Amino acid sequence: MDDTEPVQPSLNSNYVPTTPGNHHVSEDEESDDQSPSSSLLPKHSSVPLAVRYSPEDSYCFVYIIFFLMGIGSLLPWNFFITAKHYWLYKLSNNTHGSGNKEHRSDLSDYFESYLAIASTIPSVLCLILNYVLVNRLSSNVRILSSLFVILVVFVVTTVLVKVDVSDSRTEFFIGTLASVAVVSGASNLFSGSVFGISGHFPMRISQALISGQAMGGTLSAVASILDLALAKDVADSALAYFLTADVFILLCIMTYLLLPKLAYSRHYMLAATGDGGAAAGTGSRVSVPPLQPILKKTWVLGLSVFYVFFISIMVFPAVSSGIQSVNKASGSPWTTTYFVPLTSFLLYNVADFCGRQATAWLQVPGPTSRVLPVLVVCRSVMVPLLMFCNFQPRDHLHTVLFAHDVYPVVFNCLLGLTNGYLGTLPMIYGPKVVPRELAEATGVVMSFFLTLGLAVGSAFSVLIVHCI
């Protein structure tokens, strides 16, 4: 449980549970007063009764549902970027043949860089759209519509696995990027809406969502490796891989529809609805929160988030997944088939998960410390370190300084660990350094800095791949 996040009750203080005898004081609320940052939070006595007393989360069903929602919010992006062998095969000059050998082409060389651009730019636009629609369109409509859009795109992607696109690779390239753009926009609406709902629940539910997001990349990397190990060729591997994504998205839809039927979630969602109606009656929900006081308090934290993800997306996956084993000529499965999925995708995502989870127990440096932005800037060294590994093909920068397989292993672990830790700390601190009524809007602003960093970094990743 993460006690570093502020309590965000937005429930109507007049709401009283119908059967208070069946309710208990939530552990999350009891522990809030023990938070090391409790001076930044409102006193426990100010928390509404509806927040302090709730039904039990039987069998942790609600926790599990939000954990799945967290995985689902990043699953589409992770499944697209980890299917590297499939995209190389589909965009190469060898799809007429029956072998798995990949031939170089301009489309495959720069596909991952353009993939990052197609993903992050729509995310920035949809984040702004979500900020505008949050008080005008119900969360149910936003969440279910975005999930159905993601499902349709993934079903089409799955069908195209068995379609020969040898004579229309450019059209397939453009169509894939368009699919990524649509999925990224829908995923952004989905994740933002789910975060909004989790704000009405105790902190353990928000922690479930964050943990699920961190786990999404790891699961997609593991699924990719298993598909490569079990499938006979690239096409069969990709088919099983994308079918897995289809099933998981369906699971997210079904579990979300189950959420209002559970007493624990119904308690908080009913209270939130009552508060929303009262707020709407006063016209406060349709007003746009002021940006100036938010930026005045959080501009350093926002720039830190921006730069962390700017550096990360600049080299992952466009550069890191292009680093090949120096012993690839040996022909062993480790050096040819599993080196990139293991050293780039799996290690990075596991390290990122560990970095994010570490913030639940350690929050150093603090929100006002100058050390945090210094550490963030120091991550710039990861760019040249990965560039001078055995990235292939190399057209301009022919020197390989780190000619051993252990170097990309260490560098990718450092990249993921620092991304998870230094990227999460500012996101936690942001809503705590502003007045309580601006906390939710501050979360949206911090998310904007994060997504903007991904968008700008993805554009620079194209430049770096061209330079190498």
Side-chain angles (χ1 to χ4, degrees), residues 140 144 171 221 242 260-262 329 336 339 346 370 378 389 427:
N140 283 342
L144 291 176
E171 290 78 6
F242 287 119
K261 301 182 182 300
L262 302 175
T336 57
F339 183 80
L346 183 61
R370 296 182 180 180
C378 287
C389 287
M427 297 295 292

Side-chain angles (χ1 to χ4, degrees), residues 12 269-279:
N12 192 336
M269 296 172 75
L270 178 62
T273 301
D275 180 66

